[in-house]
Amino acid sequence: MRLLIARCTVDYVGRLTAHLPEAPRVIMVKADGSVLVHSDGGSYKPLNWMSPPCTVRMAESEDDGIDQVWTVENKAGEQLIVTIHEILHDHERELGTDPGLVKDGVEAHLQKLLAEQLDALGDGWRLIRREFPTAIGPVDLMCRDAQGLSVAVEIKRRGEIDGVEQLTRYLELLNRDPLLQPVRGVFAAQEIKPQARVLAEDRGIECIVVDYDALRGVDDAESRLF
Amino acid sequence: MRLLIARCTVDYVGRLTAHLPEAPRVIMVKADGSVLVHSDGGSYKPLNWMSPPCTVRMAESEDDGIDQVWTVENKAGEQLIVTIHEILHDHERELGTDPGLVKDGVEAHLQKLLAEQLDALGDGWRLIRREFPTAIGPVDLMCRDAQGLSVAVEIKRRGEIDGVEQLTRYLELLNRDPLLQPVRGVFAAQEIKPQARVLAEDRGIECIVVDYDALRGVDDAESRLF
DNA sequence: CCGTAAATGTCGTCG
DNA sequence: CGACGACGTTTACGG
């Protein structure tokens, strides 16, 4: 890991072309050769960057007002050209590999909790399987309701239009299967946007807002019993 | 801008919870209070972060093996807690505001070029308007073909399934308008994924792969004439 | 390696 | 401020 603060000009030529006029910025060079150029604001996204795997070629320059020119290139031939006018700070250190991030609360957990607590979706439901496979991708939960009819459940953290489209595609396909049809759809999310709800209900898809904390609470309570 | 290299533990509690075990990492504190925690590899996305606007509270610690505890919080109450065990490097510098990035080659440009060179889509077409407004959003290009029939064009850099869905929604709506219908659809992109092509053609939508460089070349040549 | 779906997506624009 | 679509989306996961 090398950290530079430098007055620099940066050009990217690849999927698009982008140019950064000269200004002081932070340049981060990671162990895998990737390069990030950050300004002193904005979000976590760098102004410009090159993702690994890539190679860095660093060349001194004789030109007036230019200290070095870095050419960072990946396999696809995309290039990031960093022209360094003046180095203001330069520090390098080995960090080693990171143990990595542990996450909780993403869609996968919501799916697991709902699979264990189907009553949050409907009374008397039975789980056929999670990640029920279809030709165009897996259905989050495939169930049978109390009447034994098929229900395809699409789970999202935030329910938006594309989630409804996704479920619609599944339903269209599943309803061609004589062993399953008729299959109805349920769109379950912690939050459902109004547009998504309108579209879903227009297509006969039921919307259910689920409470992650409540599901987790029940789960924890059950865990403590055993 | 403050750059730290430190052995640290990081916890995020907000839209999800996430934990980083102790390890040496780079911590970037920007002028707007945002904090990024980077490892020495991966891509431009930090392991953990807090986006602006947010506030940082830095507290010394008496605990054994803990130097400082930072609590970064945003308006929504999401928290990033950085526990610093040992500072390995620390540097701070004012960078000022960045002049910002200049881009070229994105979808807007492709749309402009196609609007000027409709013959790349079909002979004898007339442009009705770019960004043709509908209740559910603007259609990239609304045209009339040589027979005077309506054509809705959806433009993408990379043509994938959701682009086809988007165009399908527009067509469904537009075909209810007696002044326009029948409206056919054209899906134009620099690259069209096989699945997207199958879905589009299944719905009677024509797929056209456009050559950005060629369009730009013609455009440049025309520009030089005037 | 391709394809799909998720993301603490982020970022711009427009109402 | 919310909604919506683009993004050099990036990233993870499965066949």
Side-chain angles (χ1 to χ4, degrees), chain B residues 43-44 103 106-107 154 156-158 166:
Chain B
S43 186
Y44 69 66
K103 285 187 184 181
V106 287
E107 187 198 292
E154 177 64 36
K156 291 273 182 255
R157 201 176 57 72
R158 295 171 53 190
Q166 194 181 341

Side-chain angles (χ1 to χ4, degrees), chain A residues 43 103 106-107 156-157 166 170:
Chain A
S43 183
K103 289 186 186 184
V106 288
E107 187 196 295
K156 288 275 183 260
R157 206 168 52 71
Q166 192 182 341
Y170 292 144

Side-chain angles (χ1 to χ4, degrees), chain B residues 10-84:
Chain B
V10 187
D11 288 277
Y12 165 77
V13 181
R15 280 163 283 186
L16 53 72
T17 60
H19 173 74
L20 282 170
E22 185 189 324
R25 301 188 177 94
V26 173
I27 304 170
M28 193 183 295
V29 185
K30 295 194 175 188
D32 54 16
S34 57
V35 176
L36 320 183
V37 180
H38 270 279
S39 64
D40 202 352
S43 186
Y44 69 66
K45 195 176 175 178
L47 291 167
N48 232 327
W49 72 93
M50 182 62 71
S51 304
C54 60
T55 56
V56 189
R57 188 162 46 82
M58 298 176 177
E60 307 284 321
S61 170
E62 302 300 317
D63 292 1
D64 201 41
I66 297 180
D67 184 42
Q68 299 175 26
V69 177
W70 296 3
T71 307
V72 193
E73 187 162 357
N74 68 7
K75 225 150 184 185
E78 297 171 55
Q79 285 191 331
L80 187 74
I81 293 154
V82 183
T83 304
I84 296 171

Side-chain angles (χ1 to χ4, degrees), chain B residues 97-174:
Chain B
T97 58
D98 201 279
L101 191 66
V102 184
K103 285 187 184 181
D104 172 47
V106 287
E107 187 198 292
H109 197 193
L110 194 58
Q111 186 191 113
K112 181 170 177 292
L113 291 172
L114 279 173
E116 291 164 356
Q117 303 174 50
L118 277 186
D119 52 322
L121 297 175
D123 287 332
W125 287 24
R126 239 168 6 90
L127 180 66
I128 297 178
R129 79 166 278 191
R130 287 171 61 185
E131 302 288 347
F132 182 89
T134 77
I136 55 170
V139 177
D140 288 340
L141 300 181
M142 181 60 70
C143 308
R144 296 242 181 224
D145 65 16
Q147 286 77 47
L149 296 177
S150 306
V151 192
V153 183
E154 177 64 36
I155 301 169
K156 291 273 182 255
R157 201 176 57 72
R158 295 171 53 190
E160 302 187 15
I161 271 181
D162 56 347
V164 180
E165 299 283 19
Q166 194 181 341
L167 178 53
T168 303
R169 287 197 299 274
Y170 290 142
L171 288 171
E172 200 182 320
L173 196 71
L174 293 168

